[in-house]
Amino acid sequence: VARTASRPLAAGDISTFQSFVFLGGQLSLALCVLLCLNYYSIVLGAASLSLVITYPLMKRITYWPQLVLGLTFNWGALLGWSAIKGSCEWSVCLPLYLAGVMWTLVYDTIYAHQDKRDDIIIGVKSTALQFKEDTKQWLSGFSLAMVLSLCMAGMNCNQTFPYYSSVAAVGAHLAHQIYTLDIDKPEDCWKKFASNRTVGVLLFTGIVLGNL
């Protein structure tokens, strides 16, 4: 699409072969990290490969590639816990994983609205094209599910007041983000997408302070 035409591979600054060499290097480093973990985490990490491989194809198959991205991108919610504990506490990990998936649906749907005109022309699918003018209602539902899942994860691991304060701040931030979003202005979509860094900082701060 026009917005990404200057990226190295699309612009021809690097060859397809060079990109595969780089990918091989990244995967090799990732494997080295994975093999340093316990056996449970090694198996759990390897289980994500099917999602990693299939995600790039999803936007040609389904209008929900953002969901597959969420399932893929948030695997760390499971792997991070198992790397420390040697197994997953599912009453905590699954709500945390679901919250991450819902969050990805929020920010990546906003992101996809930047390219919807080009996507229609080239035949690429997205939740932005699926939701159309109902996008804000869908994003509100995903945000509510995210906040409730974060609360459930917190309750199941005995989190404290700072954590719940940060979850409330995350909810307020998402509400403002969605309320002020203009899905027909790519520059506003980018601004709202980028503002999700604040969501991450708020939640991370709440987790750290809650545990301290």
Side-chain angles (χ1 to χ4, degrees), residues 8-191:
L9 188 58
D13 295 333
I14 61 173
S15 67
T16 302
F17 175 75
Q18 287 173 318
S19 69
F20 274 116
V21 171
F22 179 76
L23 175 63
Q26 293 287 295
L27 291 174
S28 298
L29 288 172
L31 179 61
C32 290
V33 173
L34 184 64
L35 293 177
C36 292
L37 304 180
N38 54 68
Y39 289 119
Y40 184 100
S41 297
I42 291 173
V43 173
L44 185 64
S48 70
L49 284 177
S50 59
L51 288 169
V52 172
I53 292 169
T54 57
Y55 162 67
L57 307 174
M58 289 298 105
K59 60 183 64 179
R60 300 185 181 277
I61 298 171
T62 175
Y63 280 98
W64 290 82
Q66 281 71 23
L67 176 59
V68 183
L69 175 63
L71 295 171
T72 307
F73 202 51
N74 293 284
W75 202 260
L78 309 177
L79 193 57
W81 186 286
S82 72
I84 300 298
K85 298 290 189 178
S87 62
C88 280
E89 178 63 54
W90 294 109
S91 64
V92 179
C93 293
L94 283 182
L96 185 61
Y97 182 55
L98 177 61
V101 173
M102 293 297 105
W103 184 23
T104 302
L105 278 165
V106 171
Y107 65 68
D108 207 55
T109 297
I110 293 173
Y111 185 90
H113 270 286
Q114 297 178 98
D115 303 324
K116 56 189 175 185
R117 293 179 181 86
D118 288 330
D119 287 347
I120 291 172
I121 294 172
I122 63 179
V124 170
K125 301 176 176 66
S126 71
T127 48
L129 297 178
Q130 176 73 20
F131 302 156
K132 299 177 182 177
E133 298 305 316
D134 293 329
T135 289
K136 289 191 176 185
Q137 291 92 313
W138 281 93
L139 297 185
S140 298
F142 296 145
S143 297
L144 178 60
M146 174 188 174
V147 169
L148 292 175
S149 296
L150 288 173
C151 288
M152 182 180 296
M155 287 186 291
N156 289 338
C157 65
N158 302 312
Q159 273 297 337
T160 56
F161 179 74
Y163 172 80
Y164 295 108
S165 297
S166 76
V167 171
V170 164
H173 180 87
L174 290 172
H176 178 265
Q177 184 183 126
I178 295 167
Y179 180 75
T180 59
L181 173 67
D182 188 337
I183 60 174
D184 294 318
K185 288 186 177 179
E187 62 276 12
D188 187 60
C189 291
W190 172 258
K191 181 181 177 181

